[in-house]
Amino acid sequence: MASLEASTGETFVSRLPAKARRFLRWVTTPQVVLSLFMLFLMFYMVIIPLYRMLVTTITFSENDLRYAQDAVIGQLTPFHWLRMLSSKISMIMTYEPLLHSLTISMGATLLSFTIGGAMAWMVVRTDMPGRNIINVLATVPYIMPSWTIAMAWKVLFNNGTTGGTPGILMYLTGTPPPDWISYGPLPIIISSALHYYTFFFLFVSAALMSIDSSLEEAGELAGASRARILSKITFPLVVPALMSGFIMTFSKTMGTFGGPNVLGVPVRYYTLSTMIRSNTTISAFGDAFVLAIVLILFSMTTIFINQKIVGTRKSYETIGGRGFMAQKTKLRNWKGLLTTLVIIFQVLIAVLPLILLIWSTLMLRSGDYSIGNMGLAHWIGESDVSINSGEPGVLRNPAIYKGAWNSIKLSLYTAFFTALLGVVLGYAIVKGRGTRLSKFVEQLAFIPYVIPGIAFGAVYISMFTKSVGPIPPLYGTFALLVVVSVAKHIPYSSRSGVSAMLQVGRELEEAAAVAGANAWQRFTRIIFPLTSTGFVSGFLLTFITTMRELSLIILLVTPTTAVLASMTMRYIENGNEQQANAVIIILIVLVLIGNFIISRFRGGSLKKGLGM
Amino acid sequence: MSTTITIKNLTKRFGDVAAVNNVSLTIEPGTFLTLLGPSGCGKTTLLRCIAGLEDPNEGEIYVGDKLVFSSKKGISLPAGQRDLGLVFQNYALWPHMTVYKNITFALEIQKMSKDQMDRRVKEVLAEVQMEGYADRYPREMSGGQQQRIALARMLAYRPKVFLMDEPLSNLDARLRMDMRTELKRLHHISGATTIYVTHDQVEALTMSTNIAVMKLGVIQQLDTPDKVYHFPANLFIADFIGNPKVNLLDGSVNGNGSISLGSFSVPVATYGASGEVVLAVRPEDIAVATKPMEGGVEFSAYSVLPSGADSTIVARREEMEITVKVMGISTIKMDEKIWLKFDSETLNLYDKESGNLVVSLN
């Protein structure tokens, strides 16, 4: 950069017209360079894949010859759209799964709202004791993989309808539980809600805490009753927070794969996500992508509506200061009972699934849950034909170690690149504040947020099965998993990068510029050291979220690139449930270790990771 | 060591607003120039353009003979190559570095040897009377100490020009007084050309060799503090400078070389002005008596505000209100009758329409 500006001497640059030199100078300012680089990256990682996916849905492929005899490969056609949206099979292929997805999302959202909202209210606005432990316990289910509870549900309630090991309940009572308890929408909704209620709990308790209690006291002085204050003052004030929690849960559950795959697919209760998967497994990419687009459109619409509503109401958030929480609802006689119930509930959903899963992995002969039938064969046993169809214990299985290593590797790479992009994006956006380029970068970075995980994975199938320009076909490679994970994290990394960068006053960099530091020196010596806390906490949080990510990568893993999360699904699909349960326990242990490291690290918290 | 700064037709726009509007200015070596004006007048933008932190839209800037910015030639040297130092309003000390590291940052970039750096740090810390603070972190020091370190950091690499952007406005009144003394002393010793931005007229008057009063991106008057105070070029400047504020009295020119202010007239040199004018009288240029005096006009003491060294008297006569400043604690009682007399030598006359000073043609 310096060489461009040396005004003395005839150089190539000095002979250029002033306009061109001005442009050159603009283009070489650090934030413009980084912005352009990020634009290029995001076009490559998000826009082009989306475009390719769309093209695939309107093009005949080799695979379509099975259904359409007159197909000409490569020709444009409405075939996939007609087939999925208005043919004899579209009911089964599209509309039923869509309805199921909506049912599950709606049910899980409402249920987690009830649980999370009620708990947040009790913790923040009543005199309930033990709020610290409740706060900690509330985040535990969310730390674990989202399909943990679904798998534990199976251990408890499996009724043998679809084969597999009968559940504990059946072993104890001797009678199989009815199908509607064992499979389908109800258990999927419950297991998802118990995972996602953390969102509501965190959102609502943050909102409740920020309400200035004088607003409520004013209502009280005006003569309003408790109930009236709650419904007319408190509730409207937390509506924006509720909406954010609602949308986040809704769009997450719309695209979730694990639960519906464990509890829905065995009884042919398909959701959009599992239907996309089943289409990609038979290489019906055109059909799968139509479903993915439907899913994306639904997700985008809900988020758009949320932005519209919350956007106009957000002004609420600035009204309340951090007022004193003078008035707390007294629980009186209910105090002990309610506190006990809440903590028991939390411990149950945090610990019981683990106990059940471990219990099932200790069982030697399938279906016999007694103490006498326990052993470590599934963990460390050598291959024994009488147990587990001759598979060795997981800790003797090299495939598991490979999977664990892949999980760690994927999380490390993703976390590193995500945190790095966060700093770069933050710098580019904050330094360019007010320019169109900066705004464009910020908006583009938001796109992956509105695309549900499984659809985002689908997007990448179409991108990288063939080579694009100089980039080799990435399908089936480990690199692709890293690319998709990093791309999906861009919205979060840009948000945390921007907030980290905003805390570094621009004078600090300007002072370095005046002192003679070039862009690289300013970045490495001033900007980066001052944002490193953000970098490290971003790194750690991405590390654990990537570790338990399933929906995003399930369509992209191959046996050699399998990670622990995808292996649990593979084992379940092959009927090796106990193996699957052992694998998810290993995964949980890894996640918990990661989480322990985070909690040791100052400044990192689950809340921050959610971008709140 | 000392350097001229030349600015030619400089314009900086933000959107449609010209924060700096076609400013031309030559700053002679060794000048302490203060850019003075209310917030939004463009003084900070002008400073940042000189520093190289903003790219102006038009114009040229020279530091000495070196062309550091030219829109026509497409030249804009990065801030670090302009041989100038900048002290920020909020100090902008790097919080992750010790005082030593803060000071040696620029020296390291210049690849100075360790011995030399040690010596330089000692030197500049002594200059700002902060010996022994080399190992502190910024947050371990008070605001005033941080400001001194910020100054030391600038001094360390011996820039040819000192730029200061409201460096004292984050300090409390007492510290500000101390720092004014130190800064003026520093300029006196170093003789470095200094450009100082402030909205505080007292700061401007006490420290500068020259003041440029700015409004809406344009320099209204560039003069010595004495001239700016006693001969403000227009009503805006007259009103902006001075505490208590100047008395601005509407009047009209009589044929006989006096100004009629309604119920009484004041003799004054009118320099050929005619019609509606505004008379500006500094509060301290008015004589007060509790008995009728020659040429005095009767007023009533509306409010008397003693403040130790001096007292402010707000006097009224019908619609007219005049502020008077007298030395010491005034014994005048409220609502007492008083007689005021203007010193015709110190009066300034402004054209009512243009707001410009009516000046002698010779």
Side-chain angles (χ1 to χ4, degrees), chain A residues 510-517, chain B residues 79-80 84 94 105-107 109-110 153 157:
Chain A
E510 287 172 354
V514 174
Chain B
L84 31 84
W94 299 301
F105 183 82
L107 308 180
I109 288 168
Q110 295 170 5
R153 180 176 70 178
Y157 58 93

Side-chain angles (χ1 to χ4, degrees), chain A residues 257 277 454 550-557 565-566 569 573:
Chain A
F257 174 78
R277 167 86 186 296
I454 189 131
L550 176 65
S551 311
L552 185 63
I553 53 165
I554 186 69
L555 301 180
L556 303 173
V557 289
S566 70
M569 289 298 131
E573 284 157 5

Side-chain angles (χ1 to χ4, degrees), chain A residues 1-2 5-7 14 16-19 21-22 25 506-518 521-522 525-527 529-530, chain B residues 48 53 55-57 71-81 84-86 88 90 92-97 105-106 108-109 153 157:
Chain A
M1 196 176 150
E5 274 121 5
S7 56
S14 71
L16 285 173
K19 233 184 175 165
R21 298 181 61 173
R22 262 190 112 105
R25 209 166 61 236
R506 70 173 181 174
E507 295 86 0
L508 294 179
E509 195 194 353
E510 287 172 354
V514 174
N518 62 31
Q521 288 165 326
R522 297 198 299 267
R525 305 229 8 221
I526 308 291
I527 304 284
L530 289 173
Chain B
R48 290 171 59 83
L53 299 173
D55 252 8
N57 298 80
S71 62
K72 276 208 196 76
K73 296 185 185 161
I75 289 170
S76 179
L77 285 197
Q81 293 174 24
L84 31 84
L86 174 57
F88 292 82
N90 62 0
L93 293 176
W94 299 301
H96 60 301
M97 298 182 187
F105 183 82
E108 271 178 44
I109 288 168
R153 180 176 70 178
Y157 58 93

Side-chain angles (χ1 to χ4, degrees), chain A residues 379 394-395 400 404 564 581-591:
Chain A
W379 287 96
V394 286
L395 295 181
I400 303 284
L564 288 180
N581 293 347
V583 172
I584 201 170
I585 284 171
I586 297 174
L587 178 56
I588 290 170
V589 168
L590 286 181
V591 170

Side-chain angles (χ1 to χ4, degrees), chain B residues 23-43:
Chain B
V23 166
S24 295
L25 177 66
T26 302
I27 303 163
E28 299 296 338
T31 304
F32 192 120
L33 175 76
T34 297
L35 302 176
L36 175 68
S39 63
C41 71
K43 56 193 189 303

Side-chain angles (χ1 to χ4, degrees), chain A residues 363-417:
Chain A
M363 181 172 61
L364 298 178
R365 279 185 318 280
S366 181
D368 178 1
Y369 289 89
S370 62
I371 302 276
N373 189 33
M374 284 192 187
L376 290 173
H378 293 298
W379 287 96
I380 53 170
E382 297 208 30
S383 183
D384 179 347
V385 193
S386 70
I387 295 165
N388 204 21
S389 29
E391 286 266 333
V394 286
L395 295 181
R396 283 179 181 270
N397 187 344
I400 303 284
Y401 286 103
K402 179 96 196 296
W405 176 232
N406 278 345
S407 281
I408 293 171
K409 214 165 57 170
L410 176 62
S411 305
L412 281 177
Y413 279 126
T414 306
F416 176 75
F417 286 116

Side-chain angles (χ1 to χ4, degrees), chain A residues 331-380:
Chain A
L331 295 173
R332 298 174 204 283
N333 300 337
W334 295 87
K335 204 187 213 169
L337 183 68
L338 271 177
T339 313
T340 320
L341 280 180
V342 167
I343 291 181
I344 286 178
F345 166 78
Q346 286 190 312
V347 171
L348 274 188
I349 59 172
V351 178
L352 188 63
L354 295 182
I355 295 175
L356 291 173
L357 290 171
I358 293 171
W359 193 350
S360 86
T361 62
L362 296 177
M363 181 172 61
L364 298 178
R365 279 185 318 280
S366 181
D368 178 1
Y369 289 89
S370 62
I371 302 276
N373 189 33
M374 284 192 187
L376 290 173
H378 293 298
W379 287 96
I380 53 170

